[in-house]
């Protein structure tokens, strides 16, 4: 399986602007710029897109792991906070933190956390990334 996305950029780093698109058309020439990445501009940025991809990947992995033990979730809500830091070699994604809230009939907190931690470490996006990935996971009644 292969998925494609593209980016177009014009101009200098601070004054320039660009667009990102996906082959599926879900994103079509969505604006990004220095302001949307480092300030409060209108548009998206690579870290926001990575966070969405990682949250989606994690949620699907958690659903799979829970289903393998006959605990099909009613819902899983995952927020990914991606930290961009300036290090010795320039900017880097230094951390990703998940806030997870799920409603899963018939499971206790210990089994839920075990499944969530397994998903956090093993979803394909987590495997592709090297930052410190932390998590708070909450089970709803």
């Amino acid at each position: 399986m292969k998925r494609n996305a593209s980016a177009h950029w014009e101009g200098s780093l601070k004054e320039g602007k660009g667009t990102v698109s996906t082959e599926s058309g879900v994103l079509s020439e969505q604006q990004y710029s220095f302001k949307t990445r480092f300030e409060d501009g209108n548009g998206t940025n690579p870290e926001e897109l990575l966070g969405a991809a990682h949250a989606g990947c994690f949620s699907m992995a958690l659903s799979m792991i829970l289903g393998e033990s006959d605990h099909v979730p009613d819902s899983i809500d995952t927020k990914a906070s991606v930290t961009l830091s300036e290090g010795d070699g320039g900017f880097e994604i230094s951390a990703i933190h998940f806030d997870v809230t799920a409603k899963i009939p018939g499971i206790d907190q210990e089994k839920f956390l075990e499944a969530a931690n397994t998903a956090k470490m093993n979803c394909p996006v987590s495997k592709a990334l090297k930052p410190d990935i932390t998590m708070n996971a909450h089970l709803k009644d």
Side-chain angles (χ1 to χ4, degrees), residues 110-126:
E110 184 179 336
K111 287 183 182 179
F112 168 63
L113 286 176
E114 182 181 321
N117 279 308
T118 299
K120 178 184 80 162
M121 298 308 297
N122 293 299
C123 86
V125 173
S126 290

Side-chain angles (χ1 to χ4, degrees), residues 44-140:
T44 191
N45 60 68
E47 292 73 31
E48 178 181 66
L49 296 170
L50 181 63
H54 202 184
C57 183
F58 166 84
S59 295
M60 290 178 76
L62 180 55
S63 177
M64 180 194 73
I65 292 163
L66 291 164
E68 289 173 348
S69 62
D70 295 324
H71 293 290
V72 176
D74 287 346
S75 64
I76 300 169
D77 294 294
T78 305
K79 177 182 176 184
S81 297
V82 178
T83 301
L84 182 67
S85 302
E86 190 169 11
D88 293 338
F91 283 95
E92 64 184 13
I93 293 172
S94 57
I96 297 174
H97 178 78
F98 289 147
D99 279 307
V100 184
T101 303
K103 185 171 183 181
I104 307 158
I107 196 169
D108 62 32
Q109 183 71 20
E110 184 179 336
K111 287 183 182 179
F112 168 63
L113 286 176
E114 182 181 321
N117 279 308
T118 299
K120 178 184 80 162
M121 298 308 297
N122 293 299
C123 86
V125 173
S126 290
K127 288 180 178 182
L129 301 173
K130 303 269 185 221
D132 181 25
I133 303 167
T134 60
M135 174 176 64
N136 290 332
H138 306 280
L139 187 58
K140 291 192 233 181

